Amino acid sequence: MKRKRTSRRKLFTRRRLAFLALAVVSSGLAFVVFEARVAAAFESVERAAPTRIVARPLILRLGDRPSRADVSKHLTDVGYRSVRRGTPEIGEFRLSGRDWRIGRRPIRLGSYFDAGGPVRVRLDRRGRVRAIAAGERDLPGILLDPEQIGTVVGPDGRDRVNVSLDQLPGHLIEALLTVEDRSFYEHGAFDPRRMVGAALANLRQRRLAQGGSTLTQQLARTLFLSNERTVFRKLREAAIAVALERRFSKDRLLEAYLNHIYLGQNGGDAIHGVGRAAQFFFGCDASRLTLGQSAMLVGIIRGPSVYSPHRQPERAEARRDLVLRQLHEQGYIDADRLASETESSTSIQPRRTRPRGARWYMDLVRRELATGPGFERLDGAGLTVVTALEPEMQRAAASVIRDGLANLERRRPALVSDERTLQAALVAIDPWSGEIVAMVGGRSYGASQFNRAVDARRQPGSAFKPIVALAALQPVQQNEFTLASLIADEPLSVETPQGAWRPANADREFLGPIPLREALEASRNVPFARLGMAIGPERIVETARDLGIESRLTAVPSLALGASEVSLLELTSAYAALAAEGERVEPHAVRAVLDPAGESLHDATPRSRHAATPAEAYLLTSALRGVVERGTGRAVRDLGYEGPVAAKSGTTNGSRDAWFVGYTPELAVGVWVGFDDGTPIGFSGSQAALPIFTSFLKSALGEDGDRDFRFPDGIEMVDVEPETGLRAGWRCHGEPELFLAGTVPEYGCGRTDRLWREYRRGRYDSDVMEDVERWLRRSLGSRRPARVESDLRRRSGREPGP
């Protein structure tokens, strides 16, 4: 019996050992799998980083002629401080006379890193950059900090900037280890002595006074767990910490901690890591942190909301001093350094507001990148997107939209309603590059994200007439037109499948035959309806396509008066082609996309198309300048803009849409005002959109603008007699007019007088008859009296005599 019992006990023991061994092996295998998953997740989190969207960087090059005010404003906007004397420190600048000194901060664009440092820019007497020097080294140019306009963070909402351990100052690491984990390099995942000490301290004070977590445990919690205080969460934290310690070196874990620890909030984005926190709180790169700044960042870790430098500056200073005292106790700094640091105040960078209205621009950037390869997701991709946005222009655009709408509502209180909100949109384009430098898609992005500058399709009214005029002036028509061509401003009725179409002028009057230039300047509808019918709606559609308008255009007579719907961006881009001397460049918002390694991912070369010759474009520019000087746009001058500008207003039937679109040699701008549902606003384009347009030009370019339009080859200027459209000459005087080379009227009005006298006297031959016919066709058109028409036919042998 004893043997049997002994045998059973041995069998039972063996089974227990087998089960125990199996459990140990299974647990080990499970932990190996768990460890591999933790390592993979850690690597994935390390690779993930926010995508940063920045505005156009300001670059100073040799030979440039920069504006002192613009450079000063840019540096101030990105957090630099102006000083009056001495050598500027990093983050400071002094622009005095022709000697500029800038303490450039380090710049990161993807993996591109410029260490910055002091630079000196010297100008010549004409204000051009003649020398750029960094110490003893001459430079061809320098790049100044671009303004960040947005961040696309991952689903966790974390905004951070990766930095490597060797880029960080030693005192930051010393402060962190002193306060958070002094024996970090000595223990494993846990620190038993610290855990026991923390437990005793908590028992003594009967509250959670100290934490016993190591840096690795804090890292595990930050990366993978919530902040809830449960036993299960603590066990998971411990297991993850062990896995991390087994897989990665101490330096790697410390670097990850410094890149991921939570340090504050910027609106809806959480600030993680010392790299982003250094920029956010101090306006500097983490590599340039001072001892006081490092101590303050380490102090924040205990309670980012409690010790926030922006909201609780006194508490943040007190916490910084506590960290400095601990550094002194550990022998890292001496008493003199401690006294010096605690007596001084750490300068905190104010919260910088991003350009107002830039969220519509951000949406446009996302849409543009969505069409490119590899840009399906921006969140967590770690990209750097360099845009064409000009922050100051963007701020000006948002401001003039706000003020312009408020002014209209003061003038007409009925526009204010609970049912609908008066809206406006503005877009500004660099005509030579096609870059969209500013865009506002509505009154308030928070109230409506619909981008009225890009997605809304509305009738442009008379703002479409320059496209009709260009189609007529280009020498591809059988009917040759010039700016001096006479077009009848007389009642017109056209039969259409929908019935008779009778266009009317805004003043309900008719002026008789008027030159094409005058018809455009005064925005006469009937002459343009006749012009559109003469060249054909199909030709107008073709010209609009050449200028980049892709919306559906119906080839009907009313197209000449802007009856088909287009977007503000399309129409402004078409005007931009005229400013660029006939070269149409596809509008775009993105200049470059850099991957985390700094390699370019985006072809920044926009598509371009030859839409008109420089001479043809200049004819339109000349006529549209007349709109501002004498026509429907003359209020631009009344409101104080004196620079060169060509523009056109547009108003749809019932005053539902108000447009004003124009350009200078360096900027094309379009403005639309109206209600989303098409409710009439009771203002014309010159009344509602023009003041916004003018205010923006004055803010963007100054009251005097910049350079003038270039006078191209292929243009001839002669004096023309307005009543006939022929050259001024003997017995008649005229006014200067521009013509494409080869289209100048063949005979002057004085020459025609002599021909007409010979004709009336019966002394004529075939050459004289051709001259008279040509003159009558150009000067009188359909107004030739019936008796003259009959007499011409009879004398030329085409009709029998009486």
Side-chain angles (χ1 to χ4, degrees):
M1 290 292 293
K2 290 182 178 180
R3 289 182 178 178
K4 288 183 178 180
R5 289 177 181 174
T6 302
S7 177
R8 287 176 181 174
R9 286 174 184 170
K10 290 181 177 179
L11 180 61
F12 182 71
T13 302
R14 288 172 184 167
R15 287 178 177 176
R16 290 180 65 183
L17 291 174
F19 279 124
L20 182 60
L22 180 61
V24 170
V25 171
S26 299
S27 299
L29 290 175
F31 188 79
V32 169
V33 173
F34 174 76
E35 181 182 301
R37 290 179 176 175
V38 169
F42 178 81
E43 296 282 6
S44 176
V45 171
E46 278 286 270
R47 286 193 300 270
T51 291
R52 306 198 176 281
I53 302 178
V54 301
R56 180 200 300 244
L58 180 60
I59 301 175
L60 300 180
R61 301 184 184 89
L62 295 177
D64 285 353
R65 191 175 182 179
S67 162
R68 181 182 182 278
D70 290 346
V71 174
S72 177
K73 188 69 170 63
H74 175 85
L75 291 172
T76 302
D77 287 341
V78 296
Y80 280 69
R81 187 167 64 93
S82 176
V83 295
R84 293 187 176 182
R85 58 179 61 89
T87 301
E89 300 292 333
I90 300 301
E92 298 178 339
F93 68 95
R94 178 167 58 84
L95 309 182
S96 57
R98 300 201 301 269
D99 187 14
W100 297 358
R101 296 174 186 263
I102 305 171
R104 294 172 62 233
R105 296 187 302 227
I107 298 173
R108 292 179 185 273
L109 292 175
S111 68
Y112 167 79
F113 179 73
D114 184 336
V119 295
R120 184 179 184 183
V121 180
R122 285 177 289 178
L123 311 179
D124 61 21
R125 292 183 178 180
R126 295 179 297 173
R128 299 189 182 279
V129 177
R130 66 180 181 87
I132 302 175
E136 300 297 325
R137 185 164 52 100
D138 291 332
L139 302 174
I142 55 172
L143 184 147
L144 301 177
D145 310 41
E147 185 170 346
Q148 184 169 316
I149 62 173
T151 305
V152 184
V153 298
D156 55 7
R158 297 181 177 183
D159 184 8
R160 65 190 187 89
V161 174
N162 278 338
V163 291
S164 61
L165 206 58
D166 58 6
Q167 292 176 325
L168 297 174
H171 50 66
L172 173 64
I173 298 171
E174 292 166 356
L176 175 67
L177 296 180
T178 297
V179 174
E180 295 295 330
D181 197 344
R182 294 179 184 178
S183 55
F184 173 72
Y185 280 97
E186 300 169 7
H187 60 66
F190 315 109
D191 185 354
R193 288 180 299 177
R194 187 176 184 189
M195 292 173 68
V196 172
L200 292 174
N202 294 336
L203 285 173
R204 282 194 301 267
Q205 299 188 32
R206 296 182 180 182
R207 64 184 180 88
L208 191 62
Q210 291 185 17
S213 298
T214 62
L215 285 186
T216 309
Q217 289 176 279
Q218 294 181 48
L219 177 62
R221 182 168 62 248
T222 299
L223 294 182
F224 304 114
L225 302 173
S226 67
N227 287 322
E228 62 176 348
R229 294 179 177 179
T230 64
V231 174
F232 180 69
R233 195 271 292 169
K234 200 68 179 175
L235 290 174
R236 290 192 64 200
E237 176 186 300
I240 294 172
V242 171
L244 291 175
E245 287 277 354
R246 283 173 50 83
R247 283 295 187 112
F248 303 101
S249 69
K250 286 288 189 179
D251 283 349
R252 179 75 183 278
L253 295 176
L254 179 59
E255 181 177 291
Y257 181 93
L258 288 163
N259 279 321
H260 288 277
I261 190 64
Y262 173 63
L263 290 169
Q265 203 72 23
N266 181 23
D269 298 339
I271 304 297
H272 280 255
V274 296
R276 181 69 183 103
Q279 296 175 350
F280 182 63
F281 292 121
F282 310 122
C284 71
D285 190 81
S287 62
R288 297 278 185 172
L289 284 169
T290 65
L291 175 59
Q293 291 170 340
S294 295
M296 184 170 284
L297 285 185
V298 171
I300 292 172
I301 295 174
R302 181 179 178 87
S305 60
V306 177
Y307 302 109
S308 169
H310 287 140
R311 293 184 297 174
Q312 304 289 346
E314 296 84 4
R315 290 181 181 179
E317 291 275 359
R319 182 68 180 166
R320 178 206 65 176
D321 293 346
L322 177 61
V323 174
L324 290 170
R325 285 194 295 271
Q326 291 189 30
L327 283 172
H328 173 62
E329 292 170 1
Q330 294 297 312
Y332 288 114
I333 59 175
D334 57 26
D336 291 339
R337 184 73 182 276
L338 173 63
S340 172
E341 291 291 341
T342 54
E343 290 173 3
S344 64
S345 176
T346 301
S347 178
I348 305 300
Q349 175 180 261
R351 288 176 179 264
R352 292 208 304 267
T353 58
R354 291 169 181 169
R356 295 188 59 178
R359 287 184 289 180
W360 279 294
Y361 198 95
M362 288 272 290
D363 291 345
L364 179 65
V365 169
R366 289 190 182 96
R367 183 186 308 185
E368 193 171 309
L369 291 179
T371 62
F375 302 134
E376 290 80 8
R377 290 182 64 87
L378 293 180
D379 53 328
L383 306 176
T384 300
V385 181
V386 183
T387 71
L389 184 79
E390 289 277 8
E392 282 309 304
M393 288 192 185
Q394 182 65 33
R395 291 187 180 93
S399 177
V400 299
I401 288 287
R402 182 187 65 248
D403 295 344
L405 291 177
N407 182 55
L408 290 174
E409 290 172 343
R410 281 194 299 269
R411 293 168 58 189
R412 193 179 296 269
L415 293 174
V416 181
S417 168
D418 294 334
E419 299 177 358
R420 60 185 65 87
T421 303
L422 186 63
Q423 298 287 349
L426 183 150
V427 62
I429 301 174
D430 181 333
W432 302 96
S433 65
E435 293 177 343
I436 302 172
V437 297
M439 172 182 287
V440 176
R443 186 168 196 155
S444 168
Y445 186 89
S448 170
Q449 292 77 52
F450 181 61
N451 192 335
R452 295 157 187 83
V454 178
D455 299 321
R457 298 291 190 276
R458 309 297 286 256
Q459 292 181 341
S462 294
F464 195 78
K465 288 175 180 175
I467 298 174
V468 181
L470 178 62
L473 293 173
Q474 290 179 314
V476 295
Q477 299 293 321
Q478 293 181 350
N479 300 317
E480 292 184 0
F481 286 93
T482 69
L483 290 176
S485 297
L486 297 179
I487 306 173
D489 185 6
E490 297 173 347
L492 174 65
S493 179
V494 180
E495 292 298 326
T496 70
Q498 290 75 34
W501 177 57
R502 298 182 178 87
N505 297 310
D507 58 6
R508 304 296 174 181
E509 296 181 357
F510 299 98
L511 304 180
I514 59 174
L516 173 54
R517 175 186 287 276
E518 183 181 341
L520 185 58
E521 290 179 355
S523 197
R524 308 297 292 179
N525 289 335
V526 177
F528 263 87
R530 293 183 183 275
L531 182 65
M533 294 173 61
I535 63 177
E538 294 77 12
R539 173 58 189 158
I540 298 173
V541 172
E542 182 181 344
T543 300
R545 297 285 183 247
D546 289 342
L547 291 170
I549 293 180
E550 298 177 353
S551 293
R552 182 174 178 270
L553 302 177
T554 306
V556 295
S558 59
L559 175 63
L561 303 185
S564 290
E565 297 178 340
V566 299
S567 74
L568 179 63
L569 178 60
E570 285 180 317
L571 193 60
T572 307
S573 177
Y575 277 62
L578 299 177
E581 300 183 353
E583 196 69 21
R584 192 262 174 179
V585 185
E586 184 175 8
H588 58 282
V590 177
R591 302 187 82 193
V593 179
L594 307 177
D595 67 10
E599 298 295 328
S600 176
L601 299 177
H602 180 71
D603 182 8
T605 305
R607 292 180 297 178
S608 61
R609 173 189 298 175
H610 180 72
T613 66
E616 294 163 357
Y618 190 82
L619 289 185
L620 260 295
T621 297
S622 170
L624 294 177
R625 294 184 75 170
V627 171
V628 174
E629 302 300 337
R630 298 174 293 276
T632 56
R634 57 187 176 274
V636 170
R637 299 303 189 206
D638 297 337
L639 293 174
Y641 183 74
E642 301 299 332
V645 59
K648 184 72 185 74
S649 62
T651 311
T652 55
N653 290 338
S655 298
R656 290 179 171 84
D657 301 283
W659 301 70
F660 201 81
V661 188
Y663 55 92
T664 72
E666 64 270 25
L667 192 66
V669 182
V671 177
W672 168 87
V673 179
F675 285 107
D676 288 338
D677 61 2
T679 299
I681 64 173
F683 289 111
S684 67
S686 296
Q687 294 170 323
L690 181 150
I692 297 175
F693 173 93
T694 306
S695 296
F696 178 76
L697 276 192
K698 290 165 63 178
S699 297
L701 304 176
E703 293 184 353
D704 296 326
D706 198 356
R707 58 188 175 89
D708 203 350
F709 294 97
R710 186 183 74 90
F711 193 92
D713 296 331
I715 295 284
E716 296 183 56
M717 179 184 293
V718 299
D719 287 349
V720 171
E721 204 272 326
E723 294 182 0
T724 63
L726 298 179
R727 279 190 181 186
W730 181 69
R731 292 183 59 190
C732 63
H733 301 284
E735 299 174 356
E737 185 55 275
L738 302 178
F739 296 86
L740 295 178
T743 65
V744 175
E746 187 174 352
Y747 295 107
C749 48
R751 159 72 172 164
T752 306
D753 269 351
R754 292 193 298 274
L755 291 173
W756 183 252
R757 285 197 302 272
E758 292 179 1
Y759 162 75
R760 296 303 296 170
R761 293 172 184 168
R763 298 199 300 267
Y764 54 86
D765 53 27
S766 59
D767 290 338
V768 170
M769 284 303 304
E770 289 179 5
D771 290 342
V772 173
E773 283 267 27
R774 188 179 298 110
W775 171 71
L776 288 171
R777 187 181 301 113
R778 287 184 175 178
S779 61
L780 298 178
S782 61
R783 297 182 299 126
R784 287 190 297 195
R787 63 178 183 81
V788 175
E789 179 73 26
S790 176
D791 194 35
L792 281 171
R793 289 182 177 275
R794 178 175 56 77
R795 296 195 183 203
S796 61
R798 288 175 287 171
E799 184 178 290

